[in-house]
Amino acid sequence: MIQNGFMTLWKSSIAFFSLLLLGNLTGFAQQSIDVDSLEQVYLQGNFAPADSLELLDLLSVTFQDPQKVIYYSETLIQVAQRQDSTQRLFQGYLQKGNGYARLGNQVDALNNYFEAANYSDESGSDSALGSVYVTIADTYSMNKNNDNARDYYHQGIALLRETDDSLSLSTGLSNAGDFYYGLGQLDSALIYFEEAGPIFEALEFRIGIGYYLGSLGMVYGAQDKPEQALEKLNECLEILEAEGDYYGVAAFLPFISDIYEKQGKYRLAVQYSERSLDIATTYGLKEQIRDANLQLSELYEQLGDPGKSLKYFRQYATYKDSLSNIGLVQQMARLRTNFEVNQKQSEVNLLEKEAEISELRQKRQDAALYVALGIVILAFMLAYGLFRRYKYIQRTRDVIEKEKARSDDLLKNILPEETADELKEYGRVQAKKFESVSVMFADFVGFTHYSEKMSPEDLVKTVDYYFSCFDQAAENHGVEKIKTMGDCYMCAAGLPFPEKDHAIQMVRLACDIIDIVSGDGYSEVTGFEIRIGIHSGPVVAGVVGTKKFAYDIWGDTVNIASRMESGSQAGRINISESTYLLIKDHFECEFRGMVQVKNKGMMKMYFVKRTLQGAEEVLLNKTTETGE
């Protein structure tokens, strides 16, 4: 009976061939390509630069030599990075992984498969991502990491079921079946194989059909159904030989040998093992050479021929050495030879060596423990330091954000929001001309008289109360406060954004201000009166100063508005003719006649007549017009 260790090797080989089947679907469709001629085209540069990616892709897929696969895959990756081709980067990393897998370097293979998965994910291709997930699962399966393998098989197949890529789906199903076969779960394996087979047949994909038949043969063999197993395996070999897939031929032949060995037909079993060895030797399949020699060594041991058994075992050891640690394999081979020459001496040497190895292992374990403990302590200290730094940075950032928010709020209280944003972005504000705005001055009557009778504190509180009320009223009407000068309040409507009804907004604000002053007022004092003047016209607006900057407006309109205020009366709103023309359809006004204005001569002036009922009518008209 063939030993379990040998069968494990062959199951790994089947998993590896399944991996190649998935990774080289394009390559199987291109086997007729003369790879040597293709390489000469590349080396001689007989191709257009635009065709470089296609040519490198073909070379990486078509070559069977793993070193050349790796070389052309790396070149493909470099060119694809320069040309920003996600699809070719995916193909380059996938084929590079296949190259490392053929060399038995599963760690580098897996790294490249994960890189391929990243690029397939970026491209949004469920087919490519599902296929590479299955390939990753194959790699985990070969390394006996069954939990990861099972997880990636399920993810990959689930993605492929959502696509139209039936070839990749059937290949993934076949590989998952091989995985469950390796676990000894034959029923689960058959479910996957029997779903994959009909898809291969519908696609007329001959290599896939061959692997499907071979997989069924493996399962029948494990179920002690030798006739069915031999039938399927022979059909498999016929197809794979016709397709030139000698990897698969060399992998499936040992299963036929195993069936004949179970039947006691050792000579026939030897023939199939030798045939596998011949094919593997011809095509340089090192893993198959190694495993075939081990199988032949065990068969000849069953036949009672220790000479040939030792011969094949030595060849097995040589190839095992070339695939793993050469020095260790050679040492094991010498120990086996010495054992046959002098059994007792070999036993003594072996015991001494085991004791020495055990002592060294213990020392290494102790050293590893100390190193691991030191790493954990350092990692904890580093993590703690990083955590403290993170918290410090977070607190600093919070303080900065709060101060920035306070600065922004303060700036927007001083300047219009648009002007504040311009100042923050450019460090300066460009002066702007507005063709039509309304400017209002409001001044307390007899303020000097009150200031003489009140304490400075009460005076400041009183002025602050009224000006705060004015500010809220200005904000409600969309009017921009410009500044205060002692007991004088100045504001403008129609900026920083032009407004068609700026004069109406300003008169409404003036009415509210008179209501505020004539109401209950501040608790500390009553009896304040205010006079208001409004004029409409062009102004220039901008920011003055570099440190204690302020938003201000200039122009003759400002001067006339000031004259309107000084020419007004307590509790009255005095407007110029230009303002009157803008509001006459909304407010009833009283013409005052021509009034002398300092430095301006005679000017027409108007008082806005307003009652509580009139104010309600104006508000109603405005609401109707704007639809508010």
Side-chain angles (χ1 to χ4, degrees):
M1 183 69 65
I2 297 177
Q3 299 175 6
N4 290 336
F6 169 73
M7 286 307 300
T8 300
L9 291 174
W10 281 109
K11 290 173 184 176
S12 296
S13 297
I14 288 296
F16 175 59
F17 290 120
S18 299
L19 183 151
L20 293 178
L21 176 62
L22 182 63
N24 290 317
L25 294 178
T26 306
F28 286 123
Q30 297 169 339
Q31 288 178 4
S32 60
I33 294 176
D34 185 344
V35 66
D36 293 327
S37 300
L38 200 64
E39 186 177 33
Q40 287 301 313
V41 170
Y42 176 76
L43 294 176
Q44 293 172 7
N46 296 328
F47 60 92
D51 297 331
S52 59
L53 285 175
E54 181 70 24
L55 182 56
L56 287 167
D57 196 343
L58 285 172
L59 287 168
S60 69
V61 170
T62 311
F63 263 115
Q64 297 299 313
D65 182 346
Q67 296 291 356
K68 288 198 173 184
V69 170
I70 293 171
Y71 171 76
Y72 283 111
S73 297
E74 288 177 340
T75 307
L76 173 60
I77 290 169
Q78 294 171 5
V79 177
Q81 286 173 335
R82 290 197 296 269
Q83 298 188 20
D84 196 22
S85 173
T86 300
Q87 179 183 357
R88 300 296 184 179
L89 282 168
F90 164 76
Q91 187 68 14
Y93 281 111
L94 178 64
Q95 294 306 325
K96 188 178 176 183
N98 288 341
Y100 279 118
R102 292 178 185 176
L103 291 176
N105 187 340
Q106 302 304 329
V107 174
D108 285 340
L110 198 58
N111 284 336
N112 282 280
Y113 291 145
F114 277 121
E115 286 289 343
N118 290 334
Y119 284 104
S120 64
D121 198 19
E122 286 181 13
S123 68
S125 170
D126 285 346
S127 175
L129 185 59
S131 298
V132 79
Y133 273 1
V134 172
T135 308
I136 290 170
D138 295 335
T139 309
Y140 276 129
S141 175
M142 284 185 284
N143 286 277
K144 308 304 178 188
N145 193 330
N146 296 330
D147 290 339
N148 282 349
R150 184 182 293 104
D151 183 48
Y152 276 100
Y153 276 128
H154 289 171
Q155 290 186 60
I157 290 172
L159 284 171
L160 291 171
R161 288 189 189 279
E162 300 299 322
T163 71
D164 297 329
D165 190 354
S166 54
L167 181 56
S168 294
L169 172 61
S170 56
T171 305
L173 292 167
S174 178
N175 291 13
D178 289 332
F179 167 70
Y180 284 105
Y181 173 84
L183 295 179
Q185 300 177 19
L186 301 183
D187 291 339
S188 296
L190 267 178
I191 291 174
Y192 283 102
F193 289 147
E194 289 176 349
E195 184 180 357
I199 301 176
F200 283 134
E201 291 173 350
L203 295 172
E204 299 183 356
F205 184 53
R206 297 287 293 167
I207 291 178
I209 295 171
Y211 275 86
Y212 162 62
L213 294 170
S215 299
L216 290 180
M218 294 187 320
V219 174
Y220 291 146
Q223 293 176 335
D224 291 328
K225 299 177 181 178
E227 291 78 10
Q228 293 171 278
L230 289 172
E231 178 186 357
K232 298 301 180 183
L233 286 168
N234 283 319
E235 290 179 13
C236 159
L237 294 176
E238 182 179 351
I239 291 174
L240 295 183
E241 285 182 337
E243 296 296 322
D245 184 2
Y246 295 104
Y247 286 102
V249 174
F252 283 111
L253 280 170
F255 287 93
I256 297 179
S257 176
D258 181 46
I259 293 172
Y260 286 129
E261 188 271 339
K262 289 179 181 178
Q263 295 175 341
K265 300 176 182 180
Y266 297 116
R267 293 295 177 186
L268 196 55
V270 167
Q271 291 179 18
Y272 279 91
S273 294
E274 288 180 340
R275 183 181 172 196
S276 176
L277 179 60
D278 290 341
I279 293 174
T281 303
T282 300
Y283 292 97
L285 310 179
K286 292 184 178 182
E287 289 188 7
Q288 287 65 49
I289 294 172
R290 174 199 65 190
D291 299 341
N293 277 301
L294 178 60
Q295 188 179 35
L296 286 167
S297 174
E298 293 172 346
L299 284 170
Y300 276 112
E301 185 177 355
Q302 295 285 346
L303 288 169
D305 191 339
K308 286 189 176 180
S309 177
L310 180 59
K311 167 191 169 184
Y312 284 112
F313 183 81
R314 285 175 174 170
Q315 292 177 4
Y316 156 75
T318 299
Y319 277 92
K320 183 172 181 291
D321 171 63
S322 68
L323 290 170
S324 55
N325 188 308
I326 296 175
L328 181 60
V329 173
Q330 289 175 342
Q331 184 180 12
M332 292 176 65
R334 286 195 298 270
L335 286 172
R336 182 182 176 90
T337 303
N338 292 336
F339 173 78
E340 294 174 350
V341 175
N342 191 338
Q343 184 177 3
K344 290 188 177 293
Q345 184 62 46
S346 296
E347 289 177 356
V348 172
N349 291 341
L350 183 58
L351 289 172
E352 291 177 351
K353 183 60 67 177
E354 287 179 349
E356 182 181 348
I357 291 173
S358 178
E359 183 180 356
L360 288 173
R361 185 180 294 113
Q362 186 61 46
K363 290 181 178 179
R364 289 177 181 175
Q365 288 176 349
D366 292 342
L369 179 61
Y370 294 137
V371 171
L373 183 60
I375 291 174
V376 169
I377 293 173
L378 288 174
F380 175 78
M381 293 175 63
L382 178 61
Y384 180 70
L386 291 175
F387 175 75
R388 285 176 57 87
R389 176 176 176 79
Y390 167 77
K391 297 300 290 184
Y392 172 76
I393 293 173
Q394 191 69 30
R395 288 195 301 270
T396 304
R397 185 181 294 115
D398 290 343
V399 171
I400 293 173
E401 289 297 329
K402 289 179 181 178
E403 291 301 320
K404 182 176 181 296
R406 289 176 58 189
S407 298
D408 288 346
D409 291 341
L410 180 60
L411 192 61
K412 290 176 182 178
N413 283 335
I414 298 173
L415 305 175
E417 184 172 352
E418 179 190 47
T419 304
D421 292 340
E422 182 179 353
L423 182 63
K424 286 192 296 181
E425 183 173 357
Y426 301 108
R428 57 185 177 80
V429 176
Q430 185 72 34
K432 295 181 180 178
K433 183 176 181 180
F434 295 87
E435 294 298 332
S436 180
V437 301
S438 292
V439 180
M440 180 186 80
F441 282 86
D443 195 10
F444 287 106
V445 179
F447 184 77
T448 302
H449 170 72
Y450 285 108
S451 65
E452 291 174 351
K453 294 183 178 182
M454 298 174 64
S455 67
E457 293 80 2
D458 289 339
L459 183 64
V460 170
K461 288 181 181 180
T462 303
V463 173
D464 178 65
Y465 166 78
Y466 284 119
F467 282 179
S468 296
C469 293
F470 296 172
D471 288 346
Q472 184 61 54
E475 184 177 350
N476 293 341
H477 289 284
V479 174
E480 190 70 36
K481 174 186 175 182
I482 303 301
K483 61 185 174 181
T484 60
M485 298 161 287
D487 63 328
C488 181
Y489 188 89
M490 175 184 176
C491 58
L495 55 77
F497 301 105
E499 291 283 350
K500 181 179 180 181
D501 57 350
H502 56 82
I504 298 172
Q505 291 174 318
M506 186 62 81
V507 172
R508 285 181 178 152
L509 172 60
C511 293
D512 284 355
I513 288 176
I514 288 178
D515 281 344
I516 291 169
V517 175
S518 62
D520 291 338
Y522 188 58
S523 61
E524 297 294 330
V525 66
T526 57
F528 268 77
E529 290 185 307
I530 197 165
R531 60 173 178 254
I532 298 175
I534 303 173
H535 177 61
S536 301
V539 298
V540 174
V543 174
V544 294
T546 57
K547 293 184 179 180
K548 294 184 178 181
F549 46 79
Y551 186 74
D552 207 347
I553 57 177
W554 303 272
D556 200 40
T557 297
V558 178
N559 297 330
I560 295 175
S562 177
R563 299 292 183 268
M564 292 298 109
E565 179 272 322
S566 61
S568 184
Q569 298 175 6
R572 305 300 297 271
I573 304 169
N574 187 37
I575 63 174
S576 66
E577 182 180 20
S578 62
T579 303
Y580 167 74
L581 294 174
L582 295 173
I583 69 166
K584 64 180 181 178
D585 294 331
H586 298 273
F587 294 92
E588 181 182 354
C589 299
E590 175 186 344
F591 179 56
R592 297 180 60 191
M594 301 294 290
V595 181
Q596 179 68 34
V597 176
K598 183 180 179 180
N599 297 329
K600 292 296 179 181
M602 303 298 290
M603 293 187 68
K604 292 181 180 180
M605 294 187 188
Y606 300 80
F607 280 139
V608 176
K609 291 181 66 177
R610 163 185 169 278
T611 65
L612 182 59
Q613 181 181 2
E616 291 175 346
E617 291 173 354
V618 171
L619 181 58
L620 178 62
N621 291 337
K622 178 61 178 177
T623 303
T624 303
E625 293 169 7
T626 60
E628 293 178 354

